[in-house]
Structure formats: C-alpha cells, structure tokens
C-alpha cells in the first residue's frame, strides 16, 4: 500500500523533534543527524538494516522529518512524523511481496520536486520483500535520482537485497538492544510492572514491537505458551499431526486478533464514504471498490498469518536453543525461564545431535514457508522431526 503518509511515528511529542522516538541507536542517529544538516554528508539513497524490532521504521521516519522540514520547524516535523506531509512518499507492504506496480508508483513520485520541504523523501519499508523483477524497477531511480530526492530503504540485512541495489545505497546498520534496555523502554511506554516488562523483552528476544504486545496482551502471551507446551508434548506421529494443526490454528487466531478490528473499521469507513446506509444493499456501481478492499484485506491476512508462523518458528528456535544450552551446561541465560523444568527434562532425554537436527528442520521449515509451502504440511514435517529426531 502506497501513501504519502504511512511511516509510524510513535509518541514523538515526548522528546526533542524529530529524533525523540529513536531509541538505543545513538551512533546511527548521529550519522543521520549530521547528514540531514550537511549536504556534503548526505547520500541520495540509504539502506537502514537491523534485526526485527530494532527501530528501522522509527529511524527512517525521524530522518525523513529532519530532511523535509526546515531546522526548528516543528509543525512540519510533526506532519512528516504523522505521515501527512506532501513531500513524504512511503511504502509499507501488507502483502507477502512488494508488487511491481507499487514500486513503479514510488519511482514515478521520486521524480517530483519537493512542494513545501527541503527534500522529497521516498521511504520503502520491508525492502527485503522485493523479488528480482521489482528490484530492477528501482535501479535507475536509485542510481540517478533528482537532486532533491532522497531514498530510504529498510531491511533486516544487506543480504536481503540484490547486490545491484546494495551498490547504489549507503548502508546504516543498527544494533540489537539488550533485554534490560528493552524492558525499561516497555515500562516507560506501557506502564506495566517491571517483571512483566522483563518477561516480555526476554520472550520477544528484544523485538520492541513484539515485546510491547506481549507485555500488554495476556492472550498473546497465553497463545505463545500454549504453542511451546504443545510442542514439548509431541511424542509420536499422531500427536505431531495434531500439534501441527493446532499451531496453524493458533497462528490464525493471532492473525485474526491483529486484523479483524481494523478490517471491519475499514469496511464501515468505505461504506460511509460511498454513502451506503447500514444494512443497505451495495449498489452495483460501487461493488468494485468494496471488492478491491476485500482483496487488500485478504492479502494482509495472508501476510499476517505468514508473519505469525514465522514468529512461532522463532519462539520454537528459542526453546530448542535453551535445550541445547542446558545440554552443554550453560543454563544461566535461558530465554524461556518459565518452562525451565520442562526444557531441562527434554535436554536430559535428548542428545545434542538430536536438538541440532530439530533446529536445522526449523530453518528448513521457514524456507519452505517462504516458498509458499502449505503451512499445515510444513508444520507436520517439523513436528515429525521433533517426535522422531529424524528429517522426514
């Protein structure tokens, strides 16, 4: 979805604009602040990389505000941070991949001169979701952009983009915060108690967005624990199949919890915009618009489910990582401390080689899901490996 506004800002009014919400990335902030104030240090295209939850989008938003607004123009900065400034164009895909159509639209807008601000800024979140054909659409725009246009791409790592893209950008690598720092941030942002914040930061493996959700959503915490306990209880092929189905259902429930309320609000808003009274039939002339919204929501639901399954795989990796740590006598830094007794029993029952086979199969399952494998079949294969210690 392309808009002249979709970069989230967070609670930016709490601190000095526009960098107040950039947290734990002092070196990166200093580089971008210098680039925004000195044209000699400003590259025409940037790639911000870092692990999930490290604050890539927040930093991109702040950098865009610093580039577009005149120094000291807080009104313009807030407009950029809110995503409503006309010189900001951003893409945050809610599908599995970034489409060529959306990429072409970004490129087209990149050639517009700034209308009010100092620069036109093009932000592409999730740049790692481009396939090769889509990446090729960007190449010329990144290589020869207009004088007052700046591109900001965000991705987990440089390796997620083609070499031809990497050669045309300046890369800024973010570091991963530690658990105590994330916990302090969660307390400040949500007001939860320190114990809950520490647990959320640890279980999320320092992913700030996921930590906020775990800290504030008891159902999300319960679904995570249920998933891990279900996998710990796998004993044979029968339970492997049942557990795989249960994991897919839990991921589906989690995806629905994230999207259902938003989907309904979007449908009601569109119906009001189209002048359709509650309960009234949809006129044929506007059915296409409602159908397009349904298609967008289905794509978002597919991505939400894929992201949920990926998160479950990350949680399972953390549990079997804990198992391996105990097998090698390193039990002081467990992620899943709440399951320490059960994980210790597993560590005693398995060999380290078997644990490594399961960890390798988790990585293979992630690759298969990225290749559009059926979730139930991919998870069944993984659970059979958990049950048997062998790759199917």
């Amino acid at each position: 979805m392309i808009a002249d506004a979709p970069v989230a800002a967070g609670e930016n009014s709490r601190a000095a604009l526009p960098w107040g919400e950039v947290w734990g990335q002092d070196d990166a902030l200093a580089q971008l602040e210098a680039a925004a104030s000195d044209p000699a240090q400003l590259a025409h295209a940037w790639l911000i990389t870092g692990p999930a939850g490290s604050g890539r989008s927040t930093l991109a938003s702040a950098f865009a505000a610093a580039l577009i607004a005149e120094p000291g123009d807080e009104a313009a900065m807030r407009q950029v941070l809110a995503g409503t400034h006309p010189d900001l164009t951003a893409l945050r895909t809610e599908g599995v991949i970034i489409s060529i159509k959306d990429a072409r639209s970004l490129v087209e807008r990149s050639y517009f001169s700034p209308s009010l601000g100092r620069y036109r800024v093009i932000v592409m979140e999730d740049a790692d979701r481009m396939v090769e054909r889509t990446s090729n659409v960007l190449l010329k725009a990144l290589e020869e952009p207009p004088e007052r246009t700046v591109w900001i791409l965000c991705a987990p790592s440089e390796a997620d983009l083609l070499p031809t893209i990497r050669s045309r950008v300046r890369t800024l690598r973010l570091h991963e915060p530690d658990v105590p720092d994330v916990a302090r941030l969660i307390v400040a942002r949500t007001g939860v108690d320190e114990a809950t914040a520490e647990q959320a930061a640890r279980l999320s493996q320092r992913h700030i967005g996921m930590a906020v959700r775990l800290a504030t959503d008891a159902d999300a915490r319960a679904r995570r624990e249920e998933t891990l306990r279900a996998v710990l209880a796998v004993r044979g092929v029968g339970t492997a199949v049942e557990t795989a189905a249960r994991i897919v259902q839990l991921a589906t429930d989690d995806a629905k919890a994230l999207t259902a309320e938003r989907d309904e609000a979007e449908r009601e808003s569109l119906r009001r915009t189209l002048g359709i009274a509650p309960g009234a039939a949809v006129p044929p002339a506007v059915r296409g618009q409602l159908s397009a919204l349904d298609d967008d929501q289905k794509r978002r639901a597919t991505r939400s489910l894929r992201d949920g399954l990926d998160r479950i795989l990350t949680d399972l990796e953390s549990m079997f990582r804990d198992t391996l740590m105990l097998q090698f006598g390193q039990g002081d830094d467990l992620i899943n401390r709440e399951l320490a007794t059960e994980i210790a029993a597993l560590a005693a029952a398995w060999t380290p080689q078997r644990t490594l086979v399961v960890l390798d199969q988790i990585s293979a399952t992630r690759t298969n899901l990225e290749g559009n494998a059926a979730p139930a079949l991919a998870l069944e294969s993984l659970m059979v490996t958990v049950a048997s210690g062998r790759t199917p």
Side-chain angles (χ1 to χ4, degrees):
M1 178 174 62
I2 292 180
D4 289 331
V7 182
E11 311 104 275
N12 56 72
S13 60
R14 288 199 317 243
L17 293 171
W19 307 102
E21 288 308 302
V22 177
W23 173 85
Q25 303 291 347
D26 293 346
D27 291 343
L29 187 153
Q31 290 186 55
L32 295 184
E33 193 170 20
S37 60
D38 181 3
Q41 299 185 54
L42 180 62
H44 66 273
W46 297 75
L47 171 61
I48 300 176
T49 67
S54 60
R56 299 186 305 254
S57 298
T58 301
L59 188 59
S61 178
F63 187 32
L67 288 170
I68 292 171
E70 294 289 345
D73 187 349
E74 294 192 357
M77 291 178 190
R78 287 193 174 91
Q79 195 176 4
V80 177
L81 292 169
T84 58
H85 198 286
D87 292 327
L88 170 68
T89 301
L91 172 63
R92 172 187 295 159
T93 180
E94 293 185 327
V96 176
I97 62 171
I98 293 174
S99 70
I100 289 181
K101 177 183 176 182
D102 284 346
R104 285 174 176 159
S105 180
L106 278 187
V107 169
E108 179 182 341
R109 296 188 189 198
S110 74
Y111 288 102
F112 296 169
S113 296
S115 57
L116 297 175
R118 297 189 300 149
Y119 294 93
R120 175 166 294 278
V121 178
I122 311 295
V123 176
M124 177 183 278
E125 297 188 31
D126 304 314
D128 54 304
R129 293 183 182 266
M130 289 189 292
V131 297
E132 184 172 354
R133 290 184 304 159
T134 307
S135 297
N136 289 334
V137 170
L138 298 185
L139 290 179
K140 184 174 178 59
L142 291 176
E143 188 173 27
E144 300 175 2
E147 182 179 354
R148 296 172 63 197
T149 292
V150 177
W151 285 80
I152 307 173
L153 311 183
C154 299
S157 73
E158 291 175 89
D160 293 313
L161 278 74
L162 293 178
T164 48
I165 295 288
R166 299 199 301 265
S167 67
R168 289 164 170 82
V169 300
R170 181 183 298 178
T171 300
L172 192 67
R173 300 175 184 87
L174 306 187
H175 66 81
E176 193 171 16
D178 60 27
V179 168
D181 285 342
V182 174
R184 283 192 290 272
L185 180 69
I186 299 308
V187 170
R189 287 193 175 178
T190 69
V192 300
D193 61 87
E194 293 182 1
T196 299
E198 186 279 334
Q199 181 191 47
R202 174 168 40 82
L203 296 182
S204 69
Q205 297 178 69
R206 304 180 294 274
H207 185 298
I208 297 170
M210 183 55 63
V212 169
R213 186 168 184 228
L214 289 175
T216 57
D217 188 339
D219 289 339
R221 294 197 300 273
R223 281 191 290 268
R224 182 187 188 279
E225 182 171 346
E226 181 180 350
T227 300
L228 297 190
R229 288 190 180 279
V231 174
L232 285 168
V234 169
R235 293 293 181 269
V237 173
T239 55
V241 173
E242 293 173 1
T243 300
R246 183 57 184 154
I247 289 174
V248 173
Q249 186 60 53
L250 287 168
T252 301
D253 292 344
D254 204 45
K256 287 181 178 178
L258 286 171
T259 61
E261 184 175 344
R262 178 180 174 184
D263 287 352
E264 182 59 30
E266 286 178 344
R267 282 191 290 268
E268 289 303 314
S269 176
L270 181 57
R271 290 175 68 94
R272 285 194 302 271
T273 300
L274 297 174
I276 303 172
V282 178
V286 298
R287 285 176 186 166
Q289 295 182 57
L290 287 171
S291 178
L293 176 62
D294 287 340
D295 290 342
D296 286 344
Q297 291 179 344
K298 287 176 183 177
R299 284 192 289 269
R300 185 167 65 208
T302 298
R303 173 175 171 178
S304 185
L305 176 58
R306 295 284 180 85
D307 288 348
L309 289 170
D310 186 77
R311 187 68 221 174
I312 286 173
L313 293 178
T314 299
D315 292 336
L316 292 179
E317 281 178 331
S318 76
M319 183 171 72
F320 291 111
R321 171 263 189 198
D322 287 347
T323 303
L324 197 63
M325 294 288 285
L326 288 173
Q327 289 170 331
F328 285 102
Q330 303 294 322
D332 296 333
D333 190 30
L334 297 184
I335 294 170
N336 300 281
R337 296 174 191 167
E338 293 75 13
L339 298 175
T341 300
E342 293 86 347
I343 293 174
L346 187 67
W350 285 11
T351 64
Q353 290 74 19
R354 178 170 176 174
T355 307
L356 288 170
V357 167
V358 172
L359 285 167
D360 286 343
Q361 188 61 21
I362 291 174
S363 296
T365 302
R366 177 175 280 114
T367 300
N368 292 338
L369 289 172
E370 290 172 351
N372 292 323
L377 293 177
L379 269 295
E380 283 178 15
S381 179
L382 173 59
M383 291 303 107
V384 168
T385 299
V386 172
S388 66
R390 297 186 298 275
T391 302

